[in-house]
């Protein structure tokens, strides 16, 4: 176990990844802490009131926890491409009684400054960032407040930049990971480098403690990542069917569907590369979706919510990593402990 995590009282090296948009819940974060692991409140898509409420709920449990933020980048959508994409996906929205024609481009920063102010005024044990590298002053301020700062990276170059900015630890995310890639350059989908190889490459670039992530679904895969240089690992897909997860019913069902066609990396739902179970929407629109997060996220959000309510899995972002077939309905603590069982 890396010293920074041990200093927080973490002894289980299999950590619970943040999962924004529903699957990640305060109950899951608390369960991870009670398993001597570390979970993260997912700040993505939440306003300050909602985030504060979840942090307060987790803090009241008395366990160690972290908060994950989407660091804003500058990746605006092309207006003409956006309008063309609206026309392309309009039939999918209309299937649930929605009209996308009145929706404009929304480019926001997910309440970035307010969230940083909150974490500086009410410090938490750990903060992780994904999507971009925050300004070095933000990192220094959080560390000065006593917070452990972790950064998601997908390449040796990103790892070197994060080390230069002063973070404490790196979350090295391989392309097998479910959900959004943490790449700093979302116009380019990261290469399919196996996690052990990626960890070895990052170790040659920086000397920071590493957490491996992406495609870890069995105890042997966890052990392989540790042998490759990770002091800990992080799993998300493995917890999608956990008792404490807030994963929707159609998403849970799709994870075990016998006719599943595997996963794919797509921009179709959010304008940013993310690994999901293949469905009608990914197969039809992945090749025509423009780059542009968060504009496409806001565009498709009403359709995805309506499809979830109608239990229509063909128009939902079914985020999942390559190890999704190993998911199971069990308590979070049992899953984390089992994954660490051969270390």
């Amino acid at each position: 176990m890396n010293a920074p995590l041990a200093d927080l009282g973490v002894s289980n090296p299999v950590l619970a990844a943040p999962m924004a948009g529903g699957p990640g819940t305060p109950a899951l974060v608390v369960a991870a802490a009670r398993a001597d692991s570390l979970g993260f409140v997912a700040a993505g898509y939440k306003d300050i009131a909602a985030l504060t409420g979840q942090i307060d709920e987790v803090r009241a449990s008395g366990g160690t926890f972290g908060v994950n933020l989407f660091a804003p980048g500058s990746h605006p959508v092309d207006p003409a491409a956006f309008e063309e994409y609206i026309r392309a996906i309009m039939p999918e929205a209309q299937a649930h009684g929605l009209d996308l024609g009145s929706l404009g481009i929304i480019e926001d920063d997910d309440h970035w400054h307010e969230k940083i102010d909150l974490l500086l005024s009410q410090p938490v044990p750990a903060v992780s960032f994904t999507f971009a590298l925050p300004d070095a002053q933000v990192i220094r301020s959080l560390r000065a407040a006593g917070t452990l700062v972790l950064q998601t990276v997908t390449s040796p170059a990103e790892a070197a930049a994060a080390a230069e900015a002063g973070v404490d630890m790196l979350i090295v995310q391989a392309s097998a990971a479910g959900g959004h890639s943490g790449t700093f350059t979302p116009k380019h989908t990261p290469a399919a480098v196996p996690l052990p190889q990626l960890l070895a490459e990052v170790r040659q670039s920086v000397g920071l403690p590493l957490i491996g992530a992406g495609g870890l679904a069995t105890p042997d895969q966890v052990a392989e990542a540790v042998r490759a240089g990770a002091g800990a690992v992080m799993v998300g897909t493995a917890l999608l069917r956990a008792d404490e997860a807030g994963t929707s019913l159609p998403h849970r069902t799709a994870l075990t569907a016998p006719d599943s066609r595997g996963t794919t990396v797509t921009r179709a739902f959010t304008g940013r590369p993310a690994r999901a179970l293949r469905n009608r929407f990914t197969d039809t629109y992945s090749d025509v979706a423009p780059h542009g997060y968060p504009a496409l996220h806001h565009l498709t959000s009403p359709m995805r919510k309506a499809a979830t309510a109608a239990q229509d899995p063909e128009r939902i972002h079914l985020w999942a990593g390559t190890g999704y077939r190993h998911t199971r309905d069990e308590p979070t603590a049992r899953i984390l402990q089992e994954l660490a069982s051969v270390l």
Side-chain angles (χ1 to χ4, degrees):
M1 174 64 67
N2 287 309
L5 293 177
D7 291 343
L8 292 181
V10 177
S11 59
N12 183 339
V14 181
L15 314 182
M19 295 183 285
T25 64
L28 191 151
V29 177
V30 171
R34 290 176 177 166
D36 300 318
S37 177
L38 179 68
F40 290 79
V41 175
Y45 312 130
K46 293 183 176 74
D47 61 24
I48 290 299
L51 176 59
T52 301
Q54 291 204 351
I55 291 175
D56 289 346
E57 182 178 348
V58 173
R59 200 192 303 268
S61 73
T64 300
F65 68 99
V67 175
N68 172 258
L69 272 68
F70 294 164
S74 179
H75 309 289
V77 71
D78 175 79
F82 183 82
E83 292 299 325
E84 183 176 350
Y85 195 55
I86 287 180
R87 291 190 291 272
I89 68 172
M90 187 73 79
E92 310 299 338
Q94 290 174 337
H96 289 285
L98 301 173
D99 180 6
L100 303 182
S102 62
L103 296 181
I105 295 174
I106 299 175
E107 303 279 11
D108 62 12
D109 64 1
D110 199 35
H111 308 284
W112 169 253
H113 296 290
E114 295 92 334
K115 289 174 180 177
I116 293 298
D117 288 345
L118 172 65
L119 295 172
L120 289 175
S121 63
Q122 301 178 42
V124 299
V127 168
S128 67
F129 296 108
T130 191
F131 292 1
L133 183 61
D135 183 83
Q137 182 56 52
V138 170
I139 295 169
R140 286 194 295 269
S141 297
L142 287 167
R143 295 187 71 211
T147 297
L148 184 73
V149 178
L150 305 87
Q151 176 67 46
T152 303
V153 298
T154 63
S155 69
E158 292 177 357
E164 178 67 22
V167 304
D168 295 296
M169 300 186 72
L170 300 175
I171 302 165
V172 180
Q173 183 197 49
S175 66
H180 284 110
S181 168
T183 179
F184 298 175
T185 55
K187 283 187 177 181
H188 308 286
T189 301
V193 178
L195 178 59
Q197 178 183 336
L198 184 58
L199 285 165
E201 292 174 356
V202 170
R203 284 183 68 198
Q204 293 178 350
S205 300
V206 300
L208 291 177
L210 308 181
I211 298 170
L216 299 173
T218 69
D220 286 343
Q221 290 172 336
V222 168
E224 184 180 17
V226 171
R227 288 194 298 270
V233 301
M234 183 174 283
V235 299
T237 299
L239 298 171
L240 282 173
R241 290 171 56 205
D243 295 350
E244 297 86 355
T247 311
S248 69
L249 178 58
H251 195 168
R252 286 177 181 265
T253 302
L255 290 166
T256 60
D259 58 348
S260 170
R261 290 171 290 150
T263 66
T264 186
V265 177
T266 181
R267 288 189 179 86
F269 289 109
T270 67
R272 183 180 180 92
R275 186 173 293 278
L277 296 176
R278 287 180 55 192
N279 60 9
R280 168 191 167 89
F281 201 86
T282 64
D283 287 353
T284 306
Y285 302 103
S286 290
D287 290 341
V288 299
H291 158 78
Y293 178 91
L296 261 67
H297 158 71
H298 290 298
L299 172 65
T300 67
S301 179
M303 176 198 69
R304 290 181 281 142
K305 290 177 180 177
T308 299
Q311 298 193 33
D312 168 13
E314 299 304 322
R315 298 176 177 90
I316 301 173
H317 57 296
L318 302 169
W319 300 150
T322 56
Y324 72 95
R325 292 191 183 277
H326 293 277
T327 59
R328 55 191 187 272
D329 298 315
E330 290 185 359
T332 293
R334 185 179 302 168
I335 295 170
L336 296 176
Q337 290 161 353
E338 170 65 20
L339 287 171
S341 62
V342 300
L343 297 179

